[in-house]
Each structure stands twice: as structure tokens, then as C-alpha cells.
Amino acid sequence: HHNLADATDALLGRDTEVELLNRLLDQHRLVSVIGSSGIGKTRLAQAVARQRVDAHADGVWWVDLAVLRSADQLAPAIARAAGLALGNGDAQKLLGLALQPRDTLLVLDNCEHLVEALAPLAATLLDGAPRLRLLATSLEPLKVRGEQLCRLEGLAIPPAPMSLDLARCFAAIQLLECRA
């Protein structure tokens, strides 16, 4: 019941954020992870989504919005990711009807370039599908009623001066060593 990629390596230094996102998603239907480019929003959302597969009877579906260029591509892309056939007609309306009875988490990754179009679609979907939850990653909030924000900051770095052994306790150094 998901289309999530397998985890390739451990998520370092984000245990607190993973716990926070899970709590927020338990309590709220729209949670957005916002922060600067390259800070780890996508990897954090992937880790949380993997943990929530068993919590949603109708699945957890990853939707990469980075490849989309226009608002009219949103509903079909979400439907494809979730394995929903929309048929002919108003794609947004048909998507809402298809999601209405489902207990589903949609993870909408890289929302920033489509925020103006995505916000009203997200609001409509949430209004019509009472068991739907959305986890979004973006440079900026969607500004939809009820949206909860998780601002992602950089990983902790060691203060100078510090021995290498002690510095290795910091997630930023652990990530650097893993990537090197």
C-alpha cells in the first residue's frame, strides 16, 4: 500500500523531527515541512512516510511535484501516484471523489513552484475526504486553513575548538563522513 522508495541509508540527526512530524500527523490533517533548499526536507518526509505505512489502511503515496510545470498536472499526478483511475471529466473533482472514502497519506514533495495552485486543491481534498492526511515539503507554506508547519533547520555542528572524537557525536559531522 505504498510507492515509497527503499531507504538507501540512515537518516542522521533528525530523530526529534521524525517524532514531531509523526505527532503532528496524528493530530492534524495537513503538515508542511518547510526550509531552505538542500536542508533535508525530502529525506525527512520519506522517513516519516515509511513509518506511517501501517497507519493508513488505503496507503501512503509519494507524489514528486518537482517534475510538474502547471496546475492542470496536479490532480492527474496525485491520482497516478496513488493508483487511482480518474476517467474523463474534471480531474480535481474526480480526485476528490476517489479520495473521499480513503484513509490515505499523500506526501507532496517539492511544492514551492505550485503553491498557488496546490493550496486550493489541498483545501478541497481535505474538505471532501475526512480521513485524508497531507504531508508537504516546500520552501514556503501552502497557507491552507489548519496547516501545521515544521520548520527544518540545519544539522547541529560542533563548536570550535573540539577534538575529532567529540565532533563525531554531531550529526553534521556524521553526515559529512558518510558522504565523503
Side-chain angles (χ1 to χ4, degrees), residues 12-13 155-159 161-178 180:
L12 299 172
L155 294 172
I157 57 172
M162 181 176 281
S163 72
L164 181 57
D165 287 338
L166 286 176
R168 284 187 168 135
C169 295
F170 287 79
I173 301 303
Q174 293 169 7
L175 181 61
L176 176 65
E177 287 185 326
C178 286

Side-chain angles (χ1 to χ4, degrees), residues 16-78:
T16 301
E17 291 87 349
V18 168
E19 289 176 23
L20 172 63
L21 279 178
N22 273 307
R23 272 196 321 272
L24 287 172
L25 283 166
D26 286 341
Q27 298 169 2
H28 304 282
R29 297 181 53 225
L30 172 57
V31 178
S32 293
V33 180
I34 59 171
S36 60
S37 295
I39 200 103
K41 299 179 297 291
T42 295
R43 289 197 25 96
L44 176 62
Q46 288 170 338
V48 170
R50 278 189 215 93
Q51 289 183 359
R52 298 189 66 86
V53 168
D54 293 334
H56 299 280
D58 296 305
V60 174
W61 307 104
W62 187 269
V63 187
D64 183 5
L65 302 181
V67 298
L68 304 184
R69 295 293 165 240
S70 64
D72 62 325
Q73 295 175 308
L74 280 169
I78 294 168

Side-chain angles (χ1 to χ4, degrees), residues 76-94:
I78 294 168
R80 254 189 323 279
L84 302 171
L86 296 183
N88 295 324
D90 181 335
Q92 290 188 14
K93 183 175 182 177
L94 293 168

